[in-house]
Amino acid sequence: MTRRLICAVLALVAAGALAACGERSEPTGPTAREPVRLMLDYFPNADHAGIYAAQGTGAFRRAGVDLDIQTPADPAAPLKLLAAGRVDLAISYEPELLLARDKGQKLVAVGALVQKPLTSLVSIGRNAITSPSQLAGKTVGTAGIPYQSAYLKAVLDRAGVDPASVKEVNVGFNLTPAMLSRKVDATLGSFWNYEAVQLQMEHKRPRVIRMENAGVPTYNELIVVAREADVRENGAKIRRFMRALSQGMTALRKNHEAGIAPLLRANRDLERDLQEAVVKATMPVFFPADSSKPFGYMDPTEWARYSEWMARNRLVRNPGVVTGALTNEFLPGEGV
């Protein structure tokens, strides 16, 4: 562990300890419900099944939360809307939060919805790429997000492939169509738990290389984000939200239908079979690998390591951007 990484971890732990001071008991929840506007990262889908399970089983209502789930018109908008006070919480991604904080937005992760990277390298068919070393001479489609380009470079560096031999093409969010039309040989940006599962169900024989296995430090793909001011001043409401979400996730783990049924009511464009398959595939990374940790737990060491990697790759200007970027104090049983 580098000296910078050690310092970052100590700073994160110290910040969490200070924030947690005095939060020693779980609130029972008020009689009157408080409104909470939650902005999703994308259209409602199986990645959000735990949220809908908490809503469908009444966990939010019992916690005193009147939840209003909103869908962004632009996937790049949630953190901007949160910072502007247009919503109270947002679902986003660890790298997006660090980028936002690097630009001065005062936002904090208060829980992880998905523990591991979902972003992956996907290819299909007889000539599918089974090893990063096979990327030489190939065309890879990305969504045009800077850190995806950095991921590709990291994968190529680990595999010993000359980056100049690989062509990167910005296909926007048309990752799967770009593969199916053979515009690209592979994509980096598709989710192994969603697009790859869908391709498998369509008998396209996808091959998946996950980022944390190919040269990119692990990170929390989906997180719950709040404003720093609300973390200081409205912690009880955030705690009730996270407790209810944890109960929804537990209900989902026991019975997938607890989340799928309300999800399908919220988004009638979804196909039941696909959502069921995605929930099943994602279940192992909805929860921490360490069963002693509560749902939503974020590992400060992993965050520091990933932040340091972003700084080395010049994705963020401030190497200390991770300090204060997360807190576990609002998770069930935490904040003691």
Side-chain angles (χ1 to χ4, degrees):
M1 189 181 292
T2 66
R3 181 177 180 181
R4 178 185 291 175
L5 181 57
I6 292 171
C7 290
V9 172
L10 291 175
L12 280 170
V13 172
L18 288 173
C21 184
E23 297 285 352
R24 293 183 179 273
S25 62
E26 287 291 319
T28 58
T31 303
R33 285 188 287 168
E34 283 189 272
V36 174
R37 300 163 296 173
L38 172 69
M39 177 64 71
L40 300 181
D41 57 296
Y42 206 44
F43 65 84
N45 63 74
D47 290 340
H48 311 123
I51 298 170
Y52 284 94
Q55 188 180 52
T57 59
F60 285 124
R61 174 179 50 78
R62 292 191 299 274
V65 173
D66 184 7
L67 188 64
D68 174 20
I69 302 176
Q70 301 179 19
T71 302
D74 176 2
L79 292 186
K80 295 177 183 176
L81 293 172
L82 176 63
R86 299 284 296 277
V87 294
D88 303 301
L89 296 169
I91 304 299
S92 190
Y93 312 84
E94 181 177 330
E96 291 289 347
L97 173 61
L98 294 174
L99 288 169
R101 287 180 58 86
D102 194 50
K103 295 175 182 176
Q105 294 182 0
K106 298 184 181 302
L107 304 174
V108 183
V110 294
L113 186 61
V114 175
Q115 290 284 324
K116 295 293 183 181
L118 300 176
T119 299
S120 52
L121 185 78
V122 178
S123 55
I124 57 175
R126 280 186 311 177
N127 299 318
I129 293 162
T130 59
S131 168
S133 62
Q134 298 171 348
L135 287 169
K138 298 295 194 293
T139 299
V140 178
T142 67
I145 300 172
Y147 57 81
Q148 290 179 355
S149 297
Y151 289 177
L152 179 58
K153 183 179 183 300
V155 170
L156 297 176
D157 286 346
R158 165 77 73 86
V161 175
D162 181 1
S165 71
V166 179
K167 182 180 180 181
E168 180 183 350
V169 177
N170 178 0
V171 297
F173 290 100
N174 297 311
L175 293 163
T176 296
M179 266 194 302
L180 294 175
S181 65
R182 302 186 184 279
K183 182 178 180 180
V184 299
D185 299 302
T187 60
L188 195 159
S190 299
F191 281 4
W192 58 259
N193 72 322
Y194 206 99
E195 285 86 354
V197 167
Q198 185 173 25
L199 288 166
Q200 183 65 45
M201 293 176 69
E202 295 172 354
H203 308 290
K204 300 299 183 182
R205 295 178 293 170
R207 296 304 296 260
V208 174
I209 299 174
R210 291 172 58 165
M211 291 297 95
E212 71 271 33
N213 298 329
V216 178
T218 192
Y219 59 92
N220 299 146
E221 186 73 59
L222 290 178
I223 55 176
V224 182
V225 185
R227 288 183 293 274
E228 285 184 0
D230 285 336
V231 166
R232 292 192 303 269
E233 301 165 11
N234 296 314
K237 182 164 68 172
I238 296 172
R239 186 180 294 276
R240 291 196 302 273
F241 175 91
M242 291 305 303
R243 186 177 78 244
L245 178 55
S246 176
Q247 292 170 354
M249 291 302 308
T250 298
L252 181 70
R253 181 158 57 178
K254 290 179 180 178
N255 178 10
H256 295 177
E257 186 65 13
I260 291 171
L263 173 64
L264 294 176
R265 289 194 294 271
N267 187 350
R268 299 189 181 276
D269 293 331
L270 298 177
E271 297 179 4
R272 171 177 283 275
D273 289 349
L274 174 59
Q275 304 311 308
E276 290 175 345
V278 172
V279 168
K280 182 179 180 181
T282 316
M283 191 56 63
V285 296
F286 275 137
F287 294 88
D290 183 349
S291 60
S292 70
K293 301 298 184 183
F295 165 78
Y297 181 78
M298 298 168 290
D299 186 330
T301 301
E302 289 183 352
W303 275 70
R305 186 176 292 117
Y306 181 79
S307 173
E308 187 180 62
W309 179 86
M310 290 189 80
R312 285 200 313 270
N313 285 272
R314 299 181 180 179
L315 294 168
V316 294
R317 293 167 296 178
N318 176 15
V321 70
V322 71
T323 303
L326 70 147
T327 177
N328 288 309
E329 70 163 304
F330 301 111
L331 306 182
E334 298 295 297
V336 296

